[in-house]
Amino acid sequence: MSTGNGNLLEVRDLRTYFHTEDGTVKAVDGVTFNLRRGETLGIVGESGSGKSVTNLSIIRLIQSPPGQIVSGEVVFDGRDILRLREDEVRRIRGRRIAMIFQDPMTSLNPFMKISRQLMEMTRLHLGYSKAQAYAHAVKMLEIVGIPDARERVDGYPHEFSGGMRQRVMIAMALSCEPELLIADEPATALDVTIQAQILELIKTLKQETGTSVILITHDLGVVAGMTDHLIVMYAGKIFEQAPTRELFAVPGNPYTNGLLRSIPDPTSARGTLYQISGLPPDVAHLPPGCPFAPRCDRAEEICSKEFPPLVEVNQDHHSLCHFALEVYAKSVAENSAVERRARQD
């Protein structure tokens, strides 16, 4: 059954809470978005904003207790994953939806050969024989660019570098040709050169297979050339979502503005790197009003008293802010001025 509107995934009012001794942590609180077939969606925000928990909720990997998916819908190809039996979810997870986790060293079993870990996927989901699964494991390592794949496939995780382990994780995730690939900080803790190689590999494989991708990162610079749409999260909520090019050019939210200004610019004359003041809030004890208000340069009295509305500032561009239209209009004016200066130069 298809959604009939081109969407592979529709997330509606998703709420995932963690019940702790200090109170209820609303890690994901009312998240709604769509992902079309063949598109790449970026989800960005500071640590603790709810990015990873959102996507773990999508594939129902929230540990309970203390976690609980309280409400919402996750409609994948016309079926609500949150309403399926556990055995039905297992048939989707790994086969039709795959995930690359943040740390390959903790995601790979250190006591099992790489070949066996890759073979488990295809034997379970595709019904491959042992020989077929082994041949496919070698092929996948070759596809993700691991040299001497036939010799290295029987190695253990500790015998691979960090970048190579991440390539193994990508090979594992793509083994069953999933329709949706969730990449959770796939280049974290890797040096810049390896980061670029891993991201380019995901981009190339996505183009070759047509797989839809959700790319989770705290770094806006990473998603600039890889995504079609962007979601900016803060305190468990979506603060802004828009087509990637528009969000970079004309942001409509003070938080997004802060993240964009924090990206290092080697051509800038500024001597210091901009940073958003303060720290992200404790989501178990959020302040009244807008959770970003204590850190926001634009905040007024209303911001500390009333939760902001979700405002449509342009077609397919929404911002959670009392002053979204003003912030957006200012961004449009600044972008127009930059374009005029560029034409004059």
Side-chain angles (χ1 to χ4, degrees):
M1 177 180 172
S2 172
T3 55
N5 55 9
N7 292 331
L8 176 65
L9 180 70
E10 297 178 356
V11 177
R12 294 280 172 268
D13 199 30
L14 180 65
R15 299 175 190 272
T16 301
Y17 298 170
F18 290 84
H19 306 289
T20 71
E21 293 180 356
D22 294 330
T24 298
V25 176
K26 298 180 178 180
V28 176
D29 197 18
V31 166
T32 295
F33 64 86
N34 297 329
L35 175 67
R36 298 179 68 83
R37 294 178 183 276
E39 281 192 337
T40 299
L41 171 71
I43 302 181
V44 300
E46 294 170 286
S47 296
S49 61
K51 308 182 300 295
S52 295
V53 175
T54 295
N55 289 279
L56 289 171
S57 300
I58 288 173
I59 54 177
R60 276 176 49 179
L61 281 181
I62 298 297
Q63 185 174 344
S64 179
Q68 179 186 9
I69 301 174
V70 176
S71 63
E73 296 179 345
V74 177
V75 180
F76 175 74
D77 196 21
R79 304 176 73 195
D80 186 355
I81 291 177
L82 302 186
R83 305 290 179 268
L84 298 180
R85 300 190 311 271
E86 183 58 37
D87 62 312
E88 293 176 309
V89 177
R90 281 197 297 268
R91 284 197 288 270
I92 293 174
R93 189 193 301 137
R95 173 64 182 92
R96 301 185 66 193
I97 303 176
M99 189 165 184
I100 304 170
F101 295 93
Q102 285 191 32
D103 185 357
M105 198 58 200
T106 56
S107 301
L108 294 169
N109 188 326
F111 300 105
M112 288 173 59
K113 293 180 179 179
I114 295 298
S115 57
R116 183 178 169 191
Q117 297 187 58
L118 284 165
M119 289 166 64
E120 281 187 340
M121 297 290 296
T122 49
R123 298 200 72 183
L124 173 64
H125 291 295
L126 302 182
Y128 280 7
S129 67
K130 189 174 181 179
Q132 288 174 319
Y134 188 87
H136 189 73
V138 174
K139 176 186 172 184
M140 290 307 301
L141 292 189
E142 291 172 344
I143 287 174
V144 298
I146 292 183
D148 304 318
R150 189 167 295 278
E151 288 72 33
R152 303 203 67 184
V153 71
D154 287 320
Y156 289 90
H158 72 270
E159 297 177 301
F160 289 71
S161 67
M164 288 299 172
R165 285 195 293 267
Q166 195 62 286
R167 289 173 185 266
V168 170
M169 290 297 299
I170 295 172
M172 190 178 297
L174 294 175
S175 286
C176 298
E177 298 183 2
E179 296 157 67
L180 171 59
L181 175 65
I182 300 172
D184 188 359
E185 301 275 12
T188 295
L190 301 177
D191 65 62
V192 176
T193 303
I194 303 301
Q195 267 190 26
Q197 292 175 1
I198 293 296
L199 294 170
E200 188 60 32
L201 174 61
I202 293 173
K203 185 176 180 180
T204 300
L205 293 172
K206 181 253 184 185
Q207 291 170 344
E208 292 176 352
T209 62
T211 299
S212 300
V213 177
I214 296 177
L215 177 61
I216 307 166
T217 179
H218 62 274
D219 186 351
L220 267 168
V222 164
V223 296
M226 286 194 63
T227 59
D228 301 296
H229 286 77
L230 270 182
I231 286 174
V232 179
M233 291 193 68
Y234 186 80
K237 294 184 178 294
I238 293 178
F239 260 52
E240 187 165 12
Q241 55 181 315
T244 301
R245 296 182 72 174
E246 169 150 347
L247 189 139
F248 270 83
V250 285
N253 193 285
Y255 178 56
T256 307
N257 258 329
L259 291 178
L260 288 170
R261 290 176 64 191
S262 301
I263 299 174
D265 181 3
T267 66
S268 174
R270 290 200 312 262
T272 58
L273 182 65
Y274 175 83
Q275 64 179 13
I276 301 172
S277 62
L279 295 171
D282 177 359
V283 287
H285 305 95
L286 288 173
C290 175
F292 186 59
R295 310 174 68 193
C296 182
D297 296 334
R298 181 62 187 84
E300 295 188 11
E301 186 176 354
I302 189 175
C303 302
S304 61
K305 293 181 177 180
E306 297 181 19
F307 191 81
L310 184 64
V311 179
E312 183 177 21
V313 298
N314 198 4
Q315 184 179 4
D316 210 19
H317 187 167
H318 297 80
S319 172
L320 192 75
C321 180
H322 289 290
F323 305 105
L325 292 174
E326 176 194 313
V327 174
Y328 178 74
K330 184 179 179 182
S331 294
V332 170
E334 291 174 349
N335 188 59
S336 298
V338 170
E339 289 180 346
R340 281 196 302 273
R341 286 196 298 269
R343 286 195 296 268
Q344 291 169 357
D345 293 341

